């Protein structure tokens, strides 16, 4: 493994990439960042013009050097709350850098997100993926972009991606997170063009780095990690930092696989503007100040590359530019509160055209999805839901070269439920592939892939297994909203769950209400093979992220079998299916409760209307409310727990809008507030059965 000490003995000009560094520009951007931090710390925070302040003092040099070397049009990066010097180096407008934390309109979030988590769509320049407020959440999306580099280059045969790379910036505390280790596994096993850029200032807020990394040095600990080049240097020494960064980038661009650069830096400030650093001794603070990279950079450049006067002129220019940008930022209006609910989902204008995000998904590139119809094709025979999903994935993979299906066991095994059987052999291991056992990595990489213009279709084997990926799922759902439609990450996450022959707390959850409640996610729960085809195809062609729920009990259930409706068939989201019309009671349900409700209706004499919602986000409130107004009674049946299940939302809406139409109270029938039990006997005791549903219908109709 190479270390920065090997390169530190070289003159900067001996390294081709380092020799191209514009040191005057490096000095200016470092001084600019320092001036912005001073403005915020000494004025704007005290004046309450900003509410959260995160200084980068001490971190500037390495970040600015890194930004200057990301010169490929398909490079990408994601950082964290201390990454402003990097952003300035990449070309972030100074006015935006100041206006963002001040919550002014425009810029990278329009006042919706903390002003230190940046994003920057790539327009023939490096992309900055939307940063997250969560520590370590940046790593797996960057791995996804790095994997997309190889996919564009090798599978799509796009030579413009050759030599591109992806960089994740993080502090030393972030190397203790699941995201870091998941991304490290992905990058090294697949030999991705990815750079891990670790700025080690010795602290995670007040916690010292020995609590994050044994021996306080992640580079030393990873020296034996296979397939990873290590560069360990001093981020306050210009030559050392430049050679470490340039050497790592040069190796990656030449096809050498992933690398990690660790630069030691001082944190010349508290964790945030409110942090007094009372946990540091005066001696520690003095030692950190002695390592300030700016005086060191001045000594490196003056008088060999710059005169003292030129350095002073750069300093004066930076201060003047900051004052000018502040004046312009203050002139910007505050964000318009009337628009705060916009861009949760993809929107259309008054002409029906999509209000397109700048980056992410297939639609910004004008991708042609092919024909679509709501007309059911006639095909003899009936297929189960497993076959329906497989045939739909197969057809869309054949049509869409940018689509990938992946997850644990989806390739050689064909999925734990056999849904993807044979797809890897037919479409290739670059398009249908297995992943490491990390749901964080599966979903996180999907964000980077979607941002790179691909369509990821990740599989989570069971609903409970989504929990380790919850941070990435939440970041995906909020991406469009928190970037004010600059970025979106359309993807289809296939999730299996629900009871089968038995239950258990780990494989048999539905808990679909969590994702209905989550911002920005569509949720589809088909009850039969025909709907599975139409809903899945709609999701694969939509401009929003979707949870596609494949209920285990329906996968091969005879009731759920239907003729294949054709390779162009779609079912638009938000359109319920009325399976049976009636006049006495409306039964509202979805998923595996649909066949149970239909069977229950055979046990009662009531003239009941049966509605299968099919999708919960969006849900067809018009059909439900119209039905209840006619029947004057409503029963909602679902598999999630009774308390705070989605049935509660439906009941509230019905009570709110149909109160004077009702002849009986709105009733919900659902699972008791316990996890799914394993014993079939216990399972039957908590999940609504045909007799339970029939009894509830009969009781309501007697009111």
């Amino acid at each position: 493994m190479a270390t920065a000490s090997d390169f530190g003995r070289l003159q900067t000009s001996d390294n081709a990439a380092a020799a191209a560094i514009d040191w005057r520009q490096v000095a200016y951007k470092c001084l600019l960042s320092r001036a912005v931090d001073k403005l915020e710390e000494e004025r704007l925070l005290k004046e309450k013009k900003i509410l959260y302040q995160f200084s980068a003092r001490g971190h500037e040099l390495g970040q600015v050097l890194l930004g200057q070397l990301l010169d490929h049009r398909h490079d990408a990066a994601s950082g964290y709350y201390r990454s402003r010097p990097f952003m300035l180096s990449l070309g972030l407008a100074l006015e935006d850098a100041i206006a963002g934390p001040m919550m002014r309109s425009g810029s990278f979030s329009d006042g919706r997100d903390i002003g230190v988590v940046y994003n920057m769509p790539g327009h023939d320049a490096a992309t900055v993926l939307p940063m997250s407020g969560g520590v370590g959440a940046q790593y797996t999306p960057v791995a996804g972009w790095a994997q997309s580099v190889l996919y564009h280059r090798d599978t799509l045969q796009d030579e413009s991606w050759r030599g591109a790379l992806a960089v994740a910036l993080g502090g030393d505390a972030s190397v203790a997170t699941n995201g870091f280790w998941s991304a490290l596994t992905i990058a090294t096993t697949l030999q991705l063009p990815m750079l891990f850029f670790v700025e080690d200032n010795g602290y995670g807020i007040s916690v010292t780095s020995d609590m994050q990394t044994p021996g306080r040095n992640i580079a030393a600990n990873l020296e034996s990690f296979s397939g990873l080049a290590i560069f360990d240097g001093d981020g306050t020494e210009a030559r050392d930092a430049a050679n470490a960064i340039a050497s790592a980038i040069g190796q990656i661009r030449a096809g050498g696989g992933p690398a990690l650069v660790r630069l030691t830096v001082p944190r010349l400030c508290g964790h945030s503007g409110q942090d007094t650093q009372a946990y540091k001794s005066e001696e520690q603070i003095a030692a950190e100040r002695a390592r300030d990279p700016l005086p060191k950079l001045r000594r490196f450049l003056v008088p060999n590359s710059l005169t003292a006067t030129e350095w002073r002129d750069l300093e004066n220019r930076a201060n003047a530019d900051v004052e000018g940008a502040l004046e312009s930022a203050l002139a910007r209006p505050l964000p318009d509160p009337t628009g705060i609910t916009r861009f949760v989902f993809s929107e259309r204008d008054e002409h029906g055209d999509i209000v397109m995000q700048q980056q992410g998904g297939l639609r910004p590139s004008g991708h042609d999805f092919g024909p679509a119809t709501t007309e059911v094709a006639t095909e003899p025979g009936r297929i189960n839901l497993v076959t329906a999903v497989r045939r739909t994935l197969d057809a869309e993979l054949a049509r869409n070269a940018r689509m990938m299906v992946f997850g644990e066991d989806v390739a050689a095994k064909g999925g734990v439920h056999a849904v993807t059987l044979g797809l890897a052999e037919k479409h290739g291991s670059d398009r249908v592939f297995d992943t490491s056992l990390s749901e964080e990595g599966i979903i996180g990489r999907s964000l980077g892939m979607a941002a790179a213009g691909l369509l990821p279709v990740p599989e989570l084997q069971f609903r409970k297994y989504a929990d380790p990926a919850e941070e990435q799922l939440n970041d995906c759902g909020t991406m469009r909203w928190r970037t004010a439609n600059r970025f979106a990450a359309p993807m289809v996450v296939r999730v299996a769950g629900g009871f089968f022959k038995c239950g258990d707390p780990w494989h048999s959850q539905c808990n679909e209400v969590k994702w209905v409640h989550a911002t920005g996610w569509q949720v589809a729960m088909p009850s039969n093979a025909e709907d599975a085809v139409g809903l899945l195809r709609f999701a694969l062609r939509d401009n929003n992220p979707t949870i596609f729920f494949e209920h285990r009990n329906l996968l091969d259930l005879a009731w759920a079998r239907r003729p294949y409706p054709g390779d162009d068939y779609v079912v638009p989201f938000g359109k319920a299916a009325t399976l049976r019309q009636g006049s006495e009671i409306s039964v509202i349900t979805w998923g595996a409760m649909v066949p149970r409700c239909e069977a229950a209706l055979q046990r009662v004499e009531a003239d009941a209307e049966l509605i299968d919602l099919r999708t919960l986000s969006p849900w067809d409130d018009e059909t439900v409310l119209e039905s209840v107004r006619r029947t004057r009674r409503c029963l909602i049946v679902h598999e999630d727990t009774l308390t705070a299940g989605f049935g509660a939302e439906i009941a509230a809406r019905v009570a709110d809008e149909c109160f004077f139409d009702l002849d009986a109270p709105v009733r919900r029938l659902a699972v008791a507030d316990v996890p799914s039990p394993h014993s079939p006997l216990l399972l039957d005791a908590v999940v609504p059965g045909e007799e339970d549903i029939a009894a509830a219908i009969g009781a309501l109709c007697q009111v």
Side-chain angles (χ1 to χ4, degrees), residues 39-56:
L39 169 70
E40 290 184 343
E41 290 176 293
E42 297 183 2
R43 290 168 52 184
L44 300 183
L45 189 63
K46 294 177 181 178
E47 295 169 2
K48 292 185 169 47
K49 288 187 171 68
I50 59 174
L51 302 179
Y52 287 102
Q53 197 277 333
F54 292 88
S55 175

Side-chain angles (χ1 to χ4, degrees), residues 28-46:
Y28 170 68
K29 290 298 173 73
C30 286
L31 290 165
L32 196 65
S33 177
R34 186 65 63 93
V36 175
D37 282 333
K38 182 179 180 181
L39 169 70
E40 290 184 343
E41 290 176 293
E42 297 183 2
R43 290 168 52 184
L44 300 183
L45 189 63
K46 294 177 181 178

Side-chain angles (χ1 to χ4, degrees), residues 470-539:
E470 187 167 346
E471 182 172 43
Q472 294 298 336
L473 288 162
N474 287 334
D475 286 354
C476 176
T478 62
M479 184 179 291
R480 186 189 301 275
W481 179 86
R482 59 190 163 89
T483 66
N485 206 38
R486 286 158 66 98
F487 278 88
M491 66 178 71
V492 179
V493 181
R494 296 178 40 251
V495 184
F499 69 89
F500 186 35
K501 297 176 181 177
C502 58
D504 70 70
W506 316 111
H507 303 86
S508 303
Q509 286 191 23
C510 277
N511 195 213
E512 66 272 14
V513 73
K514 177 177 286 189
W515 307 119
V516 180
H517 184 262
T519 300
W521 279 100
Q522 298 180 143
V523 180
M525 295 189 71
S527 66
N528 61 79
E530 181 182 295
D531 284 352
V533 171
L535 292 170
L536 179 56
R537 179 166 288 111
F538 185 89

